[in-house]
Amino acid sequence: MKIRKLYIDPQVKDYPETAGISARIKAGQIVVADPDEVLRDIRSGNNPETAGKHSLFITRNKGPFIRKCPGTSHYTCCDYHILHIGAYCTMDCSYCILQAYFHPPVLTLFVNFREMTDQLETLFSSGPMYRTGTGEFTDSLIWEPVYPLASHLVNLFSGRDNAVLELKTKTVATQGLLGLDHRRNTIVSWSLNTEKAIREQERGTASLDDRIHAAAECQLRGYPLGFHFDPMIWYPGCEADYARVVRKLFRRIDPGNVVWISMGSFRFMTHLQEIIERRHPRSDIVYGEFIRGQDGKMRYFKPLRIRLYRALAEAIRNLAPDVTLYFCMEDDEVWGKVLGYTPDQSGGLPSILDASAARHCGLDPNRILEFPRNPVDTLPVPPV
Ligand code: SF4
């Protein structure tokens, strides 16, 4: 995606970060007195979701940088914390929820790094174990070539005994991470899918081979790794394709270095359907048989989801029997029928993941249960 317009919030126009980004992105620059100007401009065209991918708004995060992942009602959540570094994405997956989540979506990058650092220091001194990631409202690594925020974060998390950072990506922009003294406090994670799904649904992302190659390079440099098969997309023969991805993965990746693998299937809010049909007319993913889940999102029928997950879980278990496998947004019945236990039988999903992070990232396992969870909700919100 080519950035054609660079909108700059006057509050950050003199920041060195803004100067660095502006020097690297050759685009028309507009200092906007009011952020609504950006939104009005994006909304004025026929295809705001695409226009938002060609415009970058550099601004301050005026709210908290760290937020508890809202998860979704009625399904098991993992108690993750989102580090809110920016919004939207330069890649263009047909199923991307961000197309419908922001109104309108526009590439946004927060450059008040000092305030983010202060909030993270408060978090680090607050006791419990935190799993924190930047890949919820954007891809964690898309801005690395113009603003190496992820590299700064790796340094900031390095050596902490109660926090891990997860960088989640579909890129191969890991070059800047390779030489860092990360001390295994950063988990580099890739979303994986079948080659057909990547080709047909994940426009502008790195190929499967390139993602695995980048993961192998990070492994060589000592980074613990994570993988996310989410969203799994059903099509005839997909089970064999997912098993092939797993075989490819473990030809290069040591299962003992994998902190976790998540599984989730394609789901969508109904208003995303119109956007997918309009923006991705060659995609047929919304035309399967879906039911409305308890959280209002459309999902594959449960027996189909279970069949998909079983095929993937079996392929993973064959090659990596000890890897921590979990579901993103599934219920106890799915857990039981695919993995043979429910999270509550193992102390709850947050504890399962904390324990795996502690094992692989060298954190202090006593920090897991020693403190009450989630005081992040009481962190001071910086003044707007
Ligand atoms: S890589 Fe992730 S954030 Fe980017 S378009 Fe695809 S789903 Fe959305």
Side-chain angles (χ1 to χ4, degrees), residues 58-74:
I58 305 175
T59 184
R60 269 182 68 223
N61 183 353
K62 301 173 179 80
F65 273 99
I66 303 142
R67 300 176 183 185
K68 195 169 178 318
C69 178
T72 192
S73 51
H74 304 286

Side-chain angles (χ1 to χ4, degrees), residues 118 222 249 264 276 315:
D118 290 346
L249 178 68
I276 295 176

Side-chain angles (χ1 to χ4, degrees), residues 128-131 160-165 183-187 224 256 258-260 324 349-369 373:
M129 165 89 84
Y130 290 105
R131 284 170 284 106
R160 309 290 173 171
D161 65 357
N162 67 334
V164 285
L165 170 70
R183 303 197 204 169
R184 292 183 71 82
N185 279 83
T186 295
I187 301 163
V258 177
V259 186
W260 47 57
T324 298
L349 181 55
S351 295
I352 294 171
L353 299 182
D354 283 352
S356 193
R359 265 198 316 278
H360 288 89
C361 304
L363 305 182
D364 177 0
N366 294 321
R367 303 294 285 261
I368 301 172
L369 301 172
R373 304 196 67 84

Side-chain angles (χ1 to χ4, degrees), residues 2-13:
K2 176 151 175 45
I3 308 298
R4 298 192 187 119
K5 279 189 196 167
L6 204 53
Y7 294 98
I8 299 172
D9 181 336
Q11 288 187 21
V12 303
K13 76 177 171 38

Side-chain angles (χ1 to χ4, degrees), residues 39-54:
L39 304 183
R40 272 197 302 273
D41 206 3
I42 301 288
R43 259 189 220 115
S44 64
N46 295 334
N47 192 338
E49 298 84 5
T50 301
K53 286 180 183 284
H54 291 293

